[in-house]
Amino acid sequence: LYIPGRADIVIDPVAQWHYVMGDPLGFVALMARSLWVESDGIYRWFVGTLGWGDTVLPNWFYTAYGWGLFACLLAESGGAGLVRWWQRAALLGATVGSVVLILGAQYASWNAPGSRTPIEGIEGRYFLPIAAFVIAAFPPLWRLRAPAFCAPLIGVVLATISAVVCLKAVILRYYFP
């Protein structure tokens, strides 16, 4: 760690590692509490907060995006059945491992050694690379079998709305402040 996330506290990754290894269940509880406490901000940064964090999207968009993503998962593509259970388990394991590593890195660079306050500095964009793993690990819902065109159609509509909303936000932020 060459540049600490905070200058107002002592950052000591080795001491933090000793704390984590001394009480791994306590650290798991801290990670869960941190995700719970900061879930709204993490979600908003995951979906989209533009610029230097100063350009937010309309509130309705965050809700619509979540429902659109959920609809895509429910409509699932026809190839969802080709992913075997052990592949889903491996994807889920990789996802959990990645989340633990992200939170551990944030704890080591933002929290004081032994801190039990929620982990600071967690941003939704850190979870973007593993989002595809979560989607691929989602189990097929055969009882809700939608026509083959539904999932791609929902995806195109969601992508189009996202593009329009983001373009409008950028134009309003930078050209009509």
Side-chain angles (χ1 to χ4, degrees):
L1 185 64
Y2 295 105
I3 301 172
R6 295 183 58 179
D8 59 330
I9 61 172
V10 175
I11 299 294
D12 185 355
V14 174
Q16 285 146 324
W17 174 254
H18 288 296
Y19 162 71
V20 170
M21 290 296 98
D23 186 14
L25 292 178
F27 188 68
V28 169
L30 177 63
M31 289 189 299
R33 192 172 84 237
S34 299
L35 289 173
W36 178 258
V37 167
E38 299 180 30
S39 61
D40 186 55
I42 292 170
Y43 175 71
R44 287 175 177 271
W45 278 83
F46 177 84
V47 172
T49 300
L50 309 176
W52 290 99
D54 61 351
T55 307
V56 295
L57 303 175
N59 284 330
W60 66 265
F61 177 74
Y62 295 104
T63 303
Y65 187 88
W67 283 109
L69 187 59
F70 183 68
C72 282
L73 289 174
L74 288 180
E76 72 188 343
S77 71
L82 299 175
V83 181
R84 294 182 170 58
W85 69 267
W86 63 269
Q87 293 169 320
R88 291 180 196 283
L91 289 167
L92 199 55
T95 300
V96 170
S98 296
V99 169
V100 167
L101 290 172
I102 289 168
L103 295 177
Q106 289 305 108
Y107 179 77
S109 59
W110 285 90
N111 288 61
S115 171
R116 296 192 184 273
T117 60
I119 299 169
E120 297 182 39
I122 304 171
E123 295 183 16
R125 63 189 170 126
Y126 301 151
F127 302 102
L128 286 173
I130 57 176
F133 290 168
V134 174
I135 292 169
F138 197 84
L141 304 171
W142 300 112
R143 290 174 291 225
L144 300 174
R145 199 76 167 139
F149 69 88
C150 283
L153 178 63
I154 295 168
V156 167
V157 168
L158 189 59
T160 303
I161 291 171
S162 297
V164 169
V165 167
C166 288
L167 183 61
K168 179 182 176 189
V170 168
I171 289 171
L172 290 176
R173 165 64 176 90
Y174 292 105
Y175 297 102
F176 300 104

